[in-house]
């Protein structure tokens, strides 16, 4: 998302994060497990949270089976993997790419800029030391997952994703029914607004959704370190976090740690929106260490190359930048090809004009030259580049509204129609496409965005920034936008671009990034629950059961942020005994509704009456009393 | 809301807050204004935020008219009022009450407990020093706002509310159109799901809504310090904050400051959910200093009186507690009269049983005695008490779901039907009623709650706790629930009971209370926008205009939390110059989308072409180019 406020991330800890301080601590009570597939090398990481047994008041002890959750954190949280950011992550997907025998290893990078940077001795200190030679499709070949899908090929990436999306929920169901409590996997049916979510995700289903264009697998052949993931309406709702250095400050190692930090808390993809110096080298470090797909907005770097003067941009510079980034391994590009010259004046009367940086760069260029947007006129050439590396389009919403007042206006929807046209062109090239969306939209105007996008863009996945549901709370825009994000996720949006509390105000620090990611994990999960995504409720059920049974530690471990949950609990009752005692810190020993509920159940049991009987007797007595009193006022 | 986790509030600052540290600082660039009505003493406080002028790049200066916002903070933010918590606030409404000539001043308090406390010399130090003699309806009279409304009387309270709800938006409209920018008061039509919100709120409309039971004015005749406010679907969405001491800690002065702190950030009512010692005296302090309605859950105090043993509760103790609190001035009582014996076993198979404290107390009592809930069987007697003081019912949802798994179940909806029956009984007594609602509900199951409530409870106002849209984020439940609150507010919920980040974990401190209130102001305002509440968008527009024009200080001043907005901005660019310069901290001087948009506008102006013309020319050139190239791929 080319959002104007998320391009940088200031790290409060000053410059230079040594490798030893990377966020690699596993989550409490959790271990990394791997589920293997049929195809070689398909080994899907998940996080297993172990739980303590339930101890009932009559002394019986019932085990609680571990819960498996989706894990975006990559090898960083696996103590068995030794991490060295200077070496990068193991290239998990490289053999799959090579096995398809449709790529060439190039002797050196193709882009003029990439060559210049590689030849500059002053950059030696900054440069990643183990740069692989880039891969590119053999002449006439197409290496996109969409291309394979349409040919009926189930790639290892697709099988990986099927296993990952299922999150072993069949195992959870089986264990639950074996233990007799069953309820743990029960869930509400959901209402999915016409999505087509199957009970179990098969590799063939993944293939089919990709082939239809309803889902994308961002997976540049030059980013073999990434663990395959999918973005589509019929899969779990995903989130993206933006990081990046800016003109102001930031070291390369800080950038890597920011990425690790974002995925630790659950970001499914990361966009590198750097705008400062050494963008090229920073990006290399990030990609080599990223187990999630990386997105960029190439026009930002292109603009840097012309000293920030939009009117001096050329197609050639933009093209060189696309190739430069594609050969580094960027998995998706935000390209604002829908900002057509004719739409620019539609924004002149807006409350907040054009707020997308990418959008305004293209708009300025169009006006300066009185020419159509070069990303639009050269769109087929861009497709040629994308398909040679499998870079997916994230078609940018350069004219998205920047205020409630501007929501759903003519400019926004005109651009959306054009994005639909471009989607068809990209699909003709078998290039994967998702569509970016707003922005600032009041609640009642959110759904029409989803509906129009599905229609105009032929069900290509939607990827929105929030939307923010009010403008009046700068400092809290993770909340104003978390509301809109949850809703549009429910309506069918496939990925939610986070907004941090610093949105509109400044550069997010670590705590802001975490606050943004967690708010968006909440939004995405709330959407999965509402859509009735199979298995989505397992974690809610496990946590609520732990809560009801006063298994405090389990409650912490099952939460999105165990540290904060524990810390908040301990702020009131730090005593360790409180975490195992049968009352909670809020109510004290004599006054807890959960305890009373337990008493209600126990009471009935003691009387050797099932509760239904107890009530029937109660009602009979009551009825007689009423009759005696001649009172019928309550009926 | 009888929520089990919000009964206490630990103040991180230790014991005893001296009066001088009460939160009385006015908001920046704001002044308290008062708008007078027709009836004597009707003087409605509002907060006026002054704005700096717009300076365009060509040097013209256009003033920006001040914005008036709804102000819940009471006299505390008026520097002209000298605050003395030991004396209490001026009794604004007392003369209105006396002028109606339907009340008696009692020689002393009626409740046995109240008399006992008043006679205890050990409590002298704790006791509020200026206790007025209680008022009560003359025999045979009814002093509720509903009673007056049905008789066609427009009370001063109703006129006060009409002025307050309008927030001088006609003035804003007139000023905007005079200044020619107009856009500031334009807004989206909204979609209100069948609400009947008029373009302007008249005193007669207020009366009519109260008479129909669609809105309530919580206004105990013994709480003359409160500034009248209304809770109803056709008015601004309101929020409630819970405060209270608990067995653990807290001083009386801390409690008063907690109330002041909550209303400072926007809480429309405050519930005192104290459960510790000296509840009676604490409540007196809070009410005497509260400019907002105060709600309680009387069963909590009744339970304290029997040593925490639910089965020892009696109707007589409960009744005495109702009278005790009514004579102190509590404006609404949460009463769980809908927890009928027959519904209790419906909860036995739940994931989380009964989580409402009030609900579980009544349930336990019912089972212990095999008798119907005394609050249900004595409901008419309760009405007799309520109407003698104008205490409104907040009919408690004692069986609300405590987990996603338990949402919308048989127990919950059975109780809701009973609350509908009780509503009719209360209305027969001209007693005001609102209905409490859940709880934990996934997004797709929220709307049916609203629909069923409207139908079952004959459009009495709905007052919900969240609902939380997922269980997996303890530590962030202001967000999980803020999502649900915004949605149900949009669907028609009249008041949203806040949830703090400490929900389920511990006692909220000051920062938690503020975080909860702000999250709920966001939810309520997002709902007002979506409903199309007239004038709701004025503040969003003003803030977005300020943002677009780089009026940083104005942006801060217009935000819900000016301090945090400014602090976040300054964290990146502390320099004062940055707050007036024409670029933002996120992008640097050459790289800001808003600046580029301004350039786009300026560019068109300089060329002496209106932008539409510029484009038409652009398109003509383009068309020729296309023709030359023979290219039609983009059409």
């Amino acid at each position: 998302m080319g959002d104007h406020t998320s391009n940088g991330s200031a790290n409060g800890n000053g410059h230079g994060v040594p490798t030893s301080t990377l966020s690699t601590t596993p989550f409490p009570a959790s271990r990394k497990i791997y589920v293997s597939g049929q195809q070689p090398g398909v080994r899907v990481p998940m996080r297993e949270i172990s739980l303590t047994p339930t101890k009932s008041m009559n002394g019986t002890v019932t085990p609680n089976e571990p819960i498996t959750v989706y894990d975006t954190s990559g090898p960083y949280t696996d103590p068995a993997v030794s991490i060295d950011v200077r070496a990068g992550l193991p290239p998990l997907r490289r053999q799959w790419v090579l096995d398809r025998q449709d790529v060439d290893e190039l002797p050196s990078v193709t882009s003029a800029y990439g060559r210049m940077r590689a030849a500059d001795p002053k950059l030696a200190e900054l440069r990643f030391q183990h740069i692989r030679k880039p891969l590119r499709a053999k002449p006439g070949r197409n290496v996109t997952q969409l291309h394979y899908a349409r040919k009926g090929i189930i790639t290892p990436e697709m099988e990986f994703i099927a296993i990952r999306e299922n999150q072993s929920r069949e195992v959870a169901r089986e264990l639950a029914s074996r233990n007799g409590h069953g309820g743990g996997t029960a869930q509400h049916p959901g209402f999915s607004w016409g999505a087509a979510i199957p009970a179990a995700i098969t590799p063939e289903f993944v293939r089919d959704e990709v082939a239809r264009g309803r889902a994308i697998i961002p997976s540049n052949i030059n980013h073999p370190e990434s663990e395959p993931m999918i973005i589509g309406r019929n899969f779990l709702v995903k989130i993206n976090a933006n990081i990046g250095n800016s003109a102001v400050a930031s070291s390369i190692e800080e950038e890597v740690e920011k990425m690790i930090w974002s995925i630790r808390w659950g970001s499914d993809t990361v966009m590198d929106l750097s705008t400062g110096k050494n963008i090229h080298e920073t990006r290399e470090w990030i990609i080599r260490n990223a187990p999630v797909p990386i997105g960029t907005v190439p026009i930002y770097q292109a603009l840097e190359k012309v000293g920030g003067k939009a009117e001096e941009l050329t197609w050639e510079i933009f093209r060189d930048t696309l190739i430069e980034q594609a050969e580094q391994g960027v998995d998706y590009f935000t390209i604002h090809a829908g900002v057509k010259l004719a739409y620019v004046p539609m924004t002149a009367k807006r409350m907040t004009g054009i707020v997308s940086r990418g959008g305004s760069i293209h708009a300025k260029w169009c006006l300066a030259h009185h020419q159509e947007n070069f990303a639009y006129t050269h769109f087929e050439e861009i497709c040629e580049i994308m398909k040679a590396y499998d870079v997916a389009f994230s078609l940018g919403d350069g004219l998205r509204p920047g205020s409630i007042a501007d929501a759903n206006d003519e400019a926004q929807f005109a651009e959306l129609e054009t994005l639909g046209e471009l989607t068809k062109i990209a699909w003709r090239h078998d290039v994967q496409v998702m569509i970016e969306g707003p922005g600032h939209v009041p609640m009642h105007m959110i759904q029409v965005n989803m509906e129009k996008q599905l229609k105009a863009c032929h069900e290509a996945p939607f990827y929105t920034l929030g939307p923010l549901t009010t403008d009046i709370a700068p400092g809290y825009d993770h909340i104003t936008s978390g509301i809109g994000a949850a809703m549009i996720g429910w309506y069918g949006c496939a990925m939610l671009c986070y907004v941090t509390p610093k949105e509109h105000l400044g550069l997010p620090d670590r705590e802001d990034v975490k606050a943004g990611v967690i708010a968006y994990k909440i939004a995405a999960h709330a959407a999965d629950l509402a859509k009735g995504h199979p298995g989505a409720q397992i974690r809610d059920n496990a946590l609520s059961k732990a809560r009801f049974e006063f298994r405090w530690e389990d409650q912490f471990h099952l939460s999105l942020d165990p540290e904060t949950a524990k810390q908040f609990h301990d702020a009131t009752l730090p005593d360790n005994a409180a975490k195992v005692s049968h009352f909670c810190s809020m109510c004290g020993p004599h006054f807890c509704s959960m305890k009373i509920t337990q008493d209600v159940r126990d009471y009935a049991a003691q009387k050797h009456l099932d509760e239904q009987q107890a009530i029937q007797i109660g009602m009979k007595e009551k009825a007689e009393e009423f009759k005696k009193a001649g009172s019928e006022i309550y009926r």
Side-chain angles (χ1 to χ4, degrees), chain A residues 283-552:
Chain A
R283 189 187 306 121
E284 188 75 35
W285 281 92
I286 291 172
I287 296 173
R288 295 291 72 81
N289 286 287
V292 300
I294 298 296
T296 60
V297 189
I299 198 76
Y300 294 176
Q301 191 188 0
L303 188 71
E304 297 274 331
K305 292 176 181 175
V306 294
K309 292 173 187 148
E311 54 279 20
E312 294 185 11
L313 281 165
T314 63
W315 159 242
E316 288 69 28
I317 288 169
F318 188 60
R319 180 178 177 279
D320 195 67
T321 306
L322 297 181
I323 294 170
E324 171 201 344
Q325 297 197 8
E327 292 190 353
Q328 285 188 304
V330 174
D331 299 285
Y332 61 90
F333 287 158
T334 293
I335 296 187
H336 299 90
V339 179
K340 291 178 71 177
L341 184 56
Y343 305 154
V344 176
M346 293 177 182
T347 67
K349 300 277 182 207
R350 276 182 163 183
M351 179 70 77
T352 46
I354 302 177
V355 296
S356 148
R357 276 186 299 162
S360 41
I361 295 164
H362 284 287
K364 189 169 182 181
W365 186 93
C366 289
L367 283 194
H369 296 273
H370 283 307
Q371 281 185 12
E372 190 54 280
N373 181 345
F374 55 77
Y376 180 84
T377 56
H378 291 273
F379 193 74
E380 303 237 17
E381 288 164 80
I382 298 174
C383 292
E384 295 291 346
I385 297 167
M386 308 292 263
K387 71 190 182 192
Y389 305 96
D390 198 7
V391 184
F393 276 112
S394 183
L395 289 176
D397 56 337
L399 304 181
R400 69 162 179 271
S403 56
I404 289 293
D406 294 344
N408 294 16
D409 73 351
E410 185 192 18
Q412 183 195 333
F413 286 141
E415 183 186 26
L416 185 65
E417 290 294 328
T418 299
L419 300 185
E421 285 171 41
L422 297 171
T423 299
K424 287 223 154 168
I425 296 170
W427 283 354
R428 247 192 273 138
H429 290 266
D430 288 354
V431 174
Q432 304 190 89
V433 180
M434 63 180 168
I435 307 291
E436 295 187 4
H440 293 239
V441 186
M443 282 192 286
H444 68 299
M445 295 166 73
I446 292 175
Q447 193 167 17
V448 72
N449 273 278
M450 191 67 231
E451 290 167 353
K452 278 186 190 282
Q453 188 275 341
L454 285 172
K455 188 152 180 281
C457 301
H458 325 289
E459 301 193 87
F462 205 19
Y463 168 31
T464 59
L465 179 72
L468 286 74
T469 55
T470 165
D471 302 343
I472 68 169
Y476 299 82
D477 280 331
H478 59 313
I479 301 179
T480 67
S481 70
I483 295 166
M487 291 175 73
I488 203 160
W490 173 29
Y491 297 146
C493 187
M495 187 156 76
L496 310 170
C497 183
Y498 89 163
V499 170
T500 78
K502 287 272 172 65
E503 181 77 15
H504 300 116
L505 296 170
L507 304 180
D509 62 19
R510 278 168 72 87
E511 285 312 305
D512 297 318
V513 167
K514 180 177 168 185
V517 170
I518 300 244
Y520 273 67
K521 288 308 272 189
I522 290 169
H525 185 69
D528 288 333
L529 285 176
K531 288 166 78 178
H533 196 98
Q537 204 181 301
I538 292 174
R539 191 172 180 175
D540 297 77
N541 292 346
L543 192 146
S544 288
K545 185 166 185 283
R547 181 176 284 159
F548 189 68
E549 293 170 356
F550 301 100
R551 289 184 281 117
W552 284 100

Side-chain angles (χ1 to χ4, degrees), chain A residues 121-438:
Chain A
K122 291 197 301 293
L123 299 171
E125 203 196 334
L126 279 178
R127 207 174 282 131
F128 186 77
Q129 294 304 310
H130 309 276
I131 298 182
R132 277 183 298 267
K133 291 193 163 61
L135 301 179
R136 188 174 65 190
K138 287 179 192 292
R141 303 298 291 270
N142 183 323
V143 299
T144 71
Q145 294 287 320
L146 174 52
H147 184 70
Y148 304 135
R150 285 179 168 176
K151 287 171 75 174
I153 298 166
I154 294 174
T155 62
E157 286 88 346
M158 295 171 195
E159 190 193 2
F160 188 107
I161 285 164
I163 295 168
R164 195 173 198 186
E165 290 278 326
N166 283 325
Q167 282 304 303
S168 303
R169 58 181 182 249
E170 339 72 59
V171 181
R173 279 201 201 97
E174 200 192 307
L175 287 171
S177 69
R178 199 190 302 161
N179 282 331
H181 53 68
T185 57
Q187 85 177 54
H188 299 291
F191 183 82
S192 73
W193 302 101
I197 306 165
I201 306 288
T202 62
E204 168 55 22
F205 180 76
V206 173
R207 187 205 61 74
D208 188 58
E209 288 289 297
V210 173
R212 285 165 179 251
R214 291 206 298 209
I216 67 167
I217 301 174
S219 48
N220 187 320
I221 55 173
N222 290 308
H223 185 201
E225 298 87 351
S226 80
E227 297 169 344
M229 57 77 71
I230 196 161
I231 301 165
R233 184 183 176 203
N234 296 319
F235 300 92
L236 291 162
V237 176
K238 304 304 188 297
I239 70 165
N240 172 69
N242 295 331
I243 60 168
N245 62 357
S246 72
V248 184
S250 255
S251 81
I252 284 176
E253 277 153 319
E254 276 174 35
E255 297 312 308
V256 174
E257 166 58 12
K258 279 180 215 167
M259 179 272 296
I260 296 172
W261 183 248
S262 315
I263 63 177
R264 176 179 182 78
W265 298 109
S267 197
D268 294 284
T269 76
V270 168
M271 288 196 78
D272 172 16
L273 304 182
S274 298
T275 58
K277 282 180 189 171
N278 308 320
I279 297 180
H280 180 88
E281 288 70 26
T282 306
R283 189 187 306 121
E284 188 75 35
W285 281 92
I286 291 172
I287 296 173
R288 295 291 72 81
N289 286 287
V292 300
I294 298 296
T296 60
V297 189
I299 198 76
Y300 294 176
Q301 191 188 0
L303 188 71
E304 297 274 331
K305 292 176 181 175
V306 294
K309 292 173 187 148
E311 54 279 20
E312 294 185 11
L313 281 165
T314 63
W315 159 242
E316 288 69 28
I317 288 169
F318 188 60
R319 180 178 177 279
D320 195 67
T321 306
L322 297 181
I323 294 170
E324 171 201 344
Q325 297 197 8
E327 292 190 353
Q328 285 188 304
V330 174
D331 299 285
Y332 61 90
F333 287 158
T334 293
I335 296 187
H336 299 90
V339 179
K340 291 178 71 177
L341 184 56
Y343 305 154
V344 176
M346 293 177 182
T347 67
K349 300 277 182 207
R350 276 182 163 183
M351 179 70 77
T352 46
I354 302 177
V355 296
S356 148
R357 276 186 299 162
S360 41
I361 295 164
H362 284 287
K364 189 169 182 181
W365 186 93
C366 289
L367 283 194
H369 296 273
H370 283 307
Q371 281 185 12
E372 190 54 280
N373 181 345
F374 55 77
Y376 180 84
T377 56
H378 291 273
F379 193 74
E380 303 237 17
E381 288 164 80
I382 298 174
C383 292
E384 295 291 346
I385 297 167
M386 308 292 263
K387 71 190 182 192
Y389 305 96
D390 198 7
V391 184
F393 276 112
S394 183
L395 289 176
D397 56 337
L399 304 181
R400 69 162 179 271
S403 56
I404 289 293
D406 294 344
N408 294 16
D409 73 351
E410 185 192 18
Q412 183 195 333
F413 286 141
E415 183 186 26
L416 185 65
E417 290 294 328
T418 299
L419 300 185
E421 285 171 41
L422 297 171
T423 299
K424 287 223 154 168
I425 296 170
W427 283 354
R428 247 192 273 138
H429 290 266
D430 288 354
V431 174
Q432 304 190 89
V433 180
M434 63 180 168
I435 307 291
E436 295 187 4

Side-chain angles (χ1 to χ4, degrees), chain A residues 551-606:
Chain A
R551 289 184 281 117
W552 284 100
E553 295 285 355
D554 288 349
Q555 189 187 156
F556 305 152
H557 298 156
L558 286 162
S559 69
L560 287 181
D561 180 0
E563 286 166 33
T564 297
K566 185 169 186 305
Q567 180 197 320
F568 280 7
H569 175 270
D570 292 356
T572 302
L573 269 193
D575 191 350
N576 239 341
K579 282 195 276 300
V580 291
S581 62
H582 271 230
F583 60 86
C584 29
S585 57
M586 288 71 75
C587 311
H590 285 298
F591 203 76
C592 168
S593 62
M594 289 196 185
K595 184 171 187 310
I596 292 177
T597 304
Q598 251 175 8
D599 291 350
V600 166
R601 289 182 187 174
D602 294 348
Y603 182 90
Q606 282 168 21

Side-chain angles (χ1 to χ4, degrees), chain A residues 603-623:
Chain A
Y603 182 90
Q606 282 168 21
K607 292 282 183 195
H608 298 288
L609 291 166
D610 77 54
E611 284 151 323
Q612 198 55 52
Q613 274 181 314
I615 289 325
Q616 283 166 352
I617 293 164
M619 284 316 295
K620 205 183 293 170
E621 287 173 5
K622 203 68 230 156

Side-chain angles (χ1 to χ4, degrees), chain A residues 14-30:
Chain A
H15 294 269
V17 176
T19 300
S20 63
T21 66
L22 294 175
S23 302
T24 57
T25 319
F27 280 82
S30 295

